[in-house]
Structures are given as structure tokens and as C-alpha cells.
């Protein structure tokens, strides 16, 4: 009985509304809709595939991501939304292999800092309820590291650009590629970490501009940078005491901070908006910069992080991630390895 009722109903609608309604109804079938979303996504992101086999494989991955996104958004109990972005035809493994690139030295891998350090922001008492270094004009537009595992270079450059603006008043655009090509202790597109890059900048007497040494998303030989082309320099760097979001807060109140975190989940890959508190551990795979903090109207505290995955990811390239999550290492291990440049 139910079947014939539905049949009559759709026949009725078809008669009344004309043939476009039949198309509209077939569009709501799950498979058709996924194919349509895939075609639309391909158009938006300018994707091309070598052949129909590759396209078929990518479609399967896309559908897997799409289902994951829709299930998460429909669960109704999350403080964040997922969405399609430039990475929606990649598996988590592929995504991590080509778009992250943190490689901590073995002594620090999945351990907190061990060396003794000084922490110049230890006695900071002027810690506002919220701060946004982007609004303060101390952060450049979102960048895209592309298919090069050099998140570490983008994280380093972000915090060096910011401290330059905070101390001197002008916001330079500095060269990630110089770090990729020239930081001998790191591995270019195959990974590195920020403290080694800070060391390089200090020893090199500074770093040149993006225009002078522009980003190519691939490993290259180190071009000699003339002293006259140096546009920014730092005098040192420090590590924030590990596993302590309270100490991290003092540092971020004073300047953007480079951090390592675990970006290895499907939720992180498809994050679109809201306060992220999705699944992640402390597998240090990625590096970003914390550029602010605050809390929502309902009191949820968050850090604002600046990523290097372009503007289709997250809140126009940024993520708000839960702060004071209730574990010392912070959500996704974000409080394990923070550091910042000194000028
Ligand atoms: C949301 O609800 C789903 C089941 O409906 C559950 O599996 C999941 O753990 C919940 N998540 C949160 C953050 O409460
Ligand atoms: C912070 O204050 C303590 C106690 O007065 C002092 O010993 C320490 O040197 C100060 N640290 C910094 C970085 O200024
Ligand atoms: C590099 O930057 C400096 C300072 O901005 C500028 O004077 C110089 O002409 C640039 N050199 C090249 C090769 O672009």
C-alpha cells in the first residue's frame, strides 16, 4: 500500500510540475547526488585525472570523505562542522604524506622538551581574555604549502613575520623557500622542525623576502642571499614550558607561537568551522602557528591556529581548536612543542 501511494504521489507531482521535478527527485538519490557533488567539486578545484580509472578511484575516496563529513555534521552533538575542501579526494594517509611534514628530532619525538630552557614570558601578567594577532595586523594572508612536506617552514616564517611586525611595526612577507632550500638540519619537503629553522635564520644573519626568493613547493639548491637582500632577522628563540597551556597562554598574549600537533585524523583533514575537538592523539605530524585565543559566548575556550593549507580548509584557512581541553599536552598535543622567535 505504501509503495503505490508513493508512486501516485510522484506521478502527481510530475504532472503538476513538469519534467524538471522528475530530475530534481532523481537528484536526491544518494549515488546521483554524490556523483553530482564530485563533478561540482572537480570544477571548483580545477582537478584533472589521468584517465577514467583514476577518476573512479578518486570518486570512491571522495564518497568516503563525503559520507564521513555528512555523518559527522548530522550527528548534531559536535561543536565543529566538517566540509569538502581541496583535499576531499585524498585518503588520510595520502593527505598526511604530502601536506604536512613535521619531523621532530628523535630525542623529542612524542616526548616533551627535555633540555633546560629559559622562558622570557614566564612573568607575563597582562594576559587579556582574548587576543587576535590577525586583527592586530601582525599576520599575513593564508598561504598554501602545496604538495611539499614543509609545514615547519610555514610555521617558522609565520611567527618570524609576526614578531617583526610587533617589534618594528611593518609586516614583511618572508621566504619559506629559503628555509626549504637552505636549512641544512632539516629535510626540505621531506620534513623538518621549527627550532632548526630559527637556528638557521640566526646563523644566516636573517632571511629574505617572499618576492626575492619565492615559494616553489619543491626542494631546490640553496641560492646565496646577499646581505643587502635580508629583510628580517631574529636574535634567538625559546621553547615554551611543555605540556602547560597556562604558560602557552602567556606566550601567545605576547606573540604568535609555532606549535607541533597531531593532524592525522579524517576530522582534521575535513575541518570546516567551529571549535574543533575531534579525534586526534599526540602523533606529531604537522606544524602551524597559534595566532590568538578566546572563548565563545557559551564559554568554550579556544586557540586560533593559522594553517598553511590554503583558504578552502577551515575558517578561511584558520582553525579554532579547544583550549584547556583537560589533558596536559593539550588537544592534539598542541602544548607539547611550542616555540617562538625572539627579536
Ligand atoms: C555524538 O553522538 C554519537 C552517536 O550519536 C556518538 O558516537 C559520539 O561519541 C558523540 N560525540 C560527542 C562528541 O558527544
Ligand atoms: C620571573 O620572576 C622570578 C621571580 O621574581 C625571577 O627569578 C625570574 O628571573 C623572572 N623570569 C624572567 C624571565 O624574567
Ligand atoms: C631583494 O630585497 C631587497 C630588499 O627588499 C631589495 O633591495 C633587492 O633589490 C632584492 N633583490 C632581488 C634580487 O630581488
Amino acid at each position: 500500500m505504501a509503495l503505490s501511494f508513493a508512486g501516485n504521489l510522484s506521478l502527481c507531482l510530475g504532472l503538476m510540475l513538469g519534467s524538471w521535478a522528475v530530475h530534481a527527485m532523481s537528484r536526491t538519490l544518494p549515488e546521483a547526488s554524490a556523483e553530482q557533488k564530485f563533478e561540482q567539486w572537480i570544477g571548483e578545484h580545477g582537478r584533472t585525472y589521468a584517465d577514467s580509472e583514476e577518476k573512479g578511484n578518486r570518486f570512491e575516496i571522495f564518497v568516503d570523505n563525503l559520507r564521513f563529513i555528512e555523518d559527522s555534521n548530522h550527528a548534531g552533538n559536535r561543536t565543529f562542522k566538517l566540509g569538502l575542501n581541496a583535499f576531499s579526494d585524498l585518503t588520510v594517509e595520502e593527505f598526511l604524506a604530502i601536506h604536512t611534514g613535521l619531523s621532530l628530532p628523535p630525542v623529542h619525538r612524542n616526548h616533551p622538551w627535555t633540555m633546560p630552557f629559559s622562558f622570557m614570558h614566564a612573568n607575563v601578567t597582562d594576559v587579556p581574555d582574548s587576543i587576535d594577532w590577525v586583527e592586530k595586523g601582525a599576520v599575513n594572508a593564508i598561504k598554501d604549502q602545496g604538495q611539499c612536506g614543509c609545514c615547519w617552514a610555514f610555521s617558522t616564517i609565520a611567527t618570524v613575520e609576526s614578531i617583526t611586525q610587533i617589534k618594528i611595526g611593518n609586516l614583511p612577507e618572508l621566504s619559506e623557500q629559503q628555509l626549504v632550500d637552505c636549512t641544512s638540519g632539516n629535510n626540505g619537503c621531506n620534513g623538518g622542525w621549527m627550532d632548526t629553522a630559527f637556528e638557521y635564520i640566526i646563523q644566516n644573519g636573517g632571511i629574505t623576502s617572499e618576492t626575492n626568493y619565492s615559494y616553489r613547493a619543491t626542494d631546490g639548491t640553496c641560492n646565496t642571499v646577499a646581505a643587502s637582500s635580508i629583510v628580517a632577522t631574529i636574535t634567538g628563540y625559546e621553547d615554551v614550558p611543555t605540556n602547560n597551556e597556562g604558560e602557552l597562554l602567556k606566550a601567545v598574549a605576547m606573540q604568535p607561537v609555532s606549535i607541533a600537533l597531531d593532524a592525522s585524523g579524517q576530522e582534521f583533514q575535513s575541518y570546516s568551522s567551529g571549535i574543533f575537538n575531534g579525534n586526534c592523539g599526540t602523533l606529531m605530524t604537522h606544524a602551524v602557528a597559534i595566532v590568538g585565543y578566546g572563548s565563545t559566548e557559551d564559554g568554550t575556550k579556544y586557540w586560533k591556529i593559522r594553517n598553511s593549507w590554503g583558504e578552502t580548509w577551515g575558517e578561511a584557512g584558520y582553525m579554532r581548536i579547544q583550549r584547556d581541553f583537560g589533558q596536559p599536552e593539550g588537544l592534539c598535543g598542541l602544548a607539547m612543542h611550542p616555540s617562538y622567535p625572539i627579536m
Side-chain angles (χ1 to χ4, degrees):
M1 287 312 283
L3 268 177
S4 84
F5 176 71
N8 286 339
L9 182 66
S10 70
L11 182 65
C12 240
L13 284 171
L15 285 171
M16 285 190 296
L17 302 175
S19 63
W20 68 267
V22 178
H23 284 287
M25 292 187 79
S26 67
R27 252 206 306 270
T28 64
L29 294 173
E31 274 319 305
S33 132
E35 261 164 38
Q36 222 160 25
K37 283 180 178 162
F38 188 49
E39 290 300 338
Q40 189 185 352
W41 179 88
I42 286 174
E44 277 167 17
H45 296 278
R47 262 314 181 284
T48 51
Y49 296 115
D51 49 38
S52 59
E53 190 188 339
E54 194 200 345
K55 189 170 176 183
N57 292 340
R58 289 295 148 197
F59 177 65
E60 279 178 29
I61 297 164
F62 178 87
V63 168
D64 181 60
N65 282 322
L66 183 64
R67 297 265 181 277
F68 185 81
I69 289 165
E70 288 176 346
D71 288 350
S72 173
N73 290 347
H74 290 158
N77 58 356
R78 311 273 154 92
T79 57
F80 59 94
K81 292 280 184 204
L82 305 183
L84 296 172
N85 57 32
F87 314 117
S88 300
D89 66 344
L90 300 177
T91 66
V92 168
E93 294 71 28
E94 291 170 326
F95 178 66
L96 285 179
I98 57 184
H99 294 287
T100 57
L102 180 79
S103 97
L104 291 170
V107 63
H108 294 313
R109 213 161 285 160
N110 301 319
H111 299 287
W113 302 126
T114 48
M115 68 272 211
F117 49 78
S118 65
F119 177 46
M120 65 187 286
H121 300 312
N123 298 334
V124 167
T125 51
D126 183 16
V127 177
D129 288 342
S130 68
I131 198 160
D132 187 342
W133 290 107
V134 181
E135 280 177 10
K136 288 176 172 288
V139 179
N140 276 312
I142 290 290
K143 305 267 176 79
D144 188 351
Q145 69 186 82
Q147 300 194 7
C148 166
C150 68
C151 60
W152 58 271
F154 282 84
S155 171
T156 302
I157 289 297
T159 55
V160 174
E161 287 171 342
S162 293
I163 194 63
T164 307
Q165 196 282 332
I166 291 165
K167 294 287 182 182
I168 293 175
N170 79 306
L171 178 63
E173 276 207 76
L174 303 175
S175 172
E176 291 87 9
Q177 193 66 45
Q178 185 181 350
L179 295 184
V180 171
D181 293 352
C182 305
T183 311
S184 57
N186 282 335
N187 268 321
C189 289
N190 294 314
W193 75 310
M194 293 73 83
D195 286 7
T196 308
F198 292 138
E199 288 288 356
Y200 164 79
I201 296 173
I202 296 163
Q203 272 157 27
N204 190 57
I207 184 145
T208 192
S209 62
E210 185 78 57
T211 18
N212 268 10
Y213 203 142
S214 52
Y215 187 59
R216 292 183 297 106
T218 181
D219 288 310
T221 47
C222 179
N223 295 336
T224 310
V225 172
S228 62
S229 296
I230 299 284
V231 296
T233 191
I234 56 173
T235 53
Y237 67 95
E238 284 180 348
D239 301 326
V240 178
T242 195
N243 290 353
N244 191 326
E245 289 187 89
E247 297 298 82
L248 185 54
L249 193 71
K250 294 179 192 168
V252 179
M254 302 305 290
Q255 63 181 116
V257 171
S258 292
I259 58 161
L261 49 62
D262 179 0
S264 60
Q266 205 171 358
E267 288 172 331
F268 204 99
Q269 179 178 344
S270 296
Y271 165 77
S272 164
S273 65
I275 314 295
F276 184 81
N277 59 3
N279 279 326
C280 54
T282 56
L283 186 69
M284 299 284 108
T285 47
H286 193 43
V288 294
I290 299 190
V291 294
Y293 60 83
S295 45
T296 60
E297 276 167 15
D298 71 6
T300 309
K301 296 182 192 171
Y302 63 82
W303 298 106
K304 178 173 180 172
I305 67 174
R306 178 188 191 256
N307 208 341
S308 50
W309 292 344
E311 291 183 1
T312 76
W313 182 87
E315 299 184 322
Y318 294 91
M319 171 188 262
R320 285 176 297 156
I321 183 169
Q322 197 171 331
R323 177 162 63 94
D324 293 346
F325 185 64
Q327 60 194 32
E329 59 272 25
L331 185 56
C332 306
L334 63 80
M336 289 174 78
H337 297 103
S339 58
Y340 55 86
I342 300 171
M343 208 181 154

